[in-house]
Amino acid sequence: MGLFIDVREILAGLIDSIEFDYTLPAPQSFNDISFPSEVQITGAVKNQAGYMTLTAHATVPYVTHCARCTKEISGIFEHTFTRPLATKLEEEDDEYLMITHGEIDLDTPLLEDLILNLDFVYLCKEDCKGLCFKCGQDLNEGDCGCADKKEIDPRLAILAKLLDN
Ligand SMILES: [Zn+2]
Ligand SMILES: [Zn+2]
């Protein structure tokens, strides 16, 4: 099931713009980022002297973990997507969204672009101190007293903590 924007009235020259407002089902989780609810999309298709563009603003809540201390964090990801539109192209060009039978199939290109623009690393706070490499203590909660707490993959730190118990 796709999200199709019908632009036939623009193509026919009857109107210059169409606004839209949709929700898409929550995307599949990506890396350690999961999406607990739907994607809200608002946007418009505009025709300016024959040059057509689509702009969509997507908002989706996400849940992930701090890359340093593994604490769960959540937020709202916002993404703006703007593409020129074409009914036909001389050569294939990924920049353009194609209008097929008077419609634009929006969900796949929009969700792909949204995923591409997610951050790779999320932190619970800018200066998160992370976990101690030796004992796995969350160093935001205080110093554990270990001499060597050099940064390491937090998953290994959790493992170290488990092995220690
Ligand atoms: Zn953290
Ligand atoms: Zn420690």
Side-chain angles (χ1 to χ4, degrees), residues 66 68-71 123-125 128 130 140:
C66 174
R68 290 189 195 147
C69 72
T70 73
K71 193 180 293 168
L123 298 177
C124 60
K125 55 184 180 189
C128 173
N140 297 301

Side-chain angles (χ1 to χ4, degrees), residues 51-56 81-85 93-97 106 109-110 112-113 116:
Y51 183 72
M52 291 176 66
T53 51
L54 178 144
T55 301
F81 173 83
T82 305
R83 292 286 179 85
L85 302 175
D93 186 338
D94 286 344
E95 184 59 20
Y96 284 84
L97 283 183
L106 182 61
L110 175 68
E112 277 177 8
D113 202 60
L116 281 174

Side-chain angles (χ1 to χ4, degrees), residues 7-131:
V7 297
R8 282 174 293 187
E9 285 183 293
I10 293 187
L11 292 175
L14 299 172
I15 50 175
D16 288 333
S17 68
I18 291 171
E19 291 190 358
F20 54 87
D21 191 340
Y22 289 104
T23 54
L24 281 179
Q28 302 234 310
S29 47
F30 178 74
N31 290 340
D32 182 37
I33 305 169
S34 57
F35 302 97
S37 52
E38 297 156 320
V39 188
Q40 303 290 335
I41 298 165
T42 56
V45 176
K46 292 203 164 83
N47 178 20
Q48 286 166 308
Y51 183 72
M52 291 176 66
T53 51
L54 178 144
T55 301
H57 186 73
T59 316
V60 63
Y62 67 86
V63 178
T64 186
H65 296 89
C66 174
R68 290 189 195 147
C69 72
T70 73
K71 193 180 293 168
E72 185 175 285
I73 45 180
S74 59
I76 293 180
F77 182 72
E78 296 197 37
H79 180 58
T80 301
F81 173 83
T82 305
R83 292 286 179 85
L85 302 175
T87 47
K88 58 172 184 279
L89 289 171
E90 299 292 312
E91 290 168 36
E92 215 175 295
D93 186 338
D94 286 344
E95 184 59 20
Y96 284 84
L97 283 183
M98 298 308 294
I99 300 170
T100 310
H101 305 301
E103 291 182 322
I104 303 157
D105 185 359
L106 182 61
D107 62 333
T108 306
L110 175 68
L111 291 179
E112 277 177 8
D113 202 60
L114 190 147
I115 295 294
L116 281 174
N117 280 279
L118 290 169
D119 288 328
F120 281 102
V121 172
Y122 286 86
L123 298 177
C124 60
K125 55 184 180 189
E126 275 300 304
D127 61 347
C128 173
K129 296 191 179 77
L131 303 178

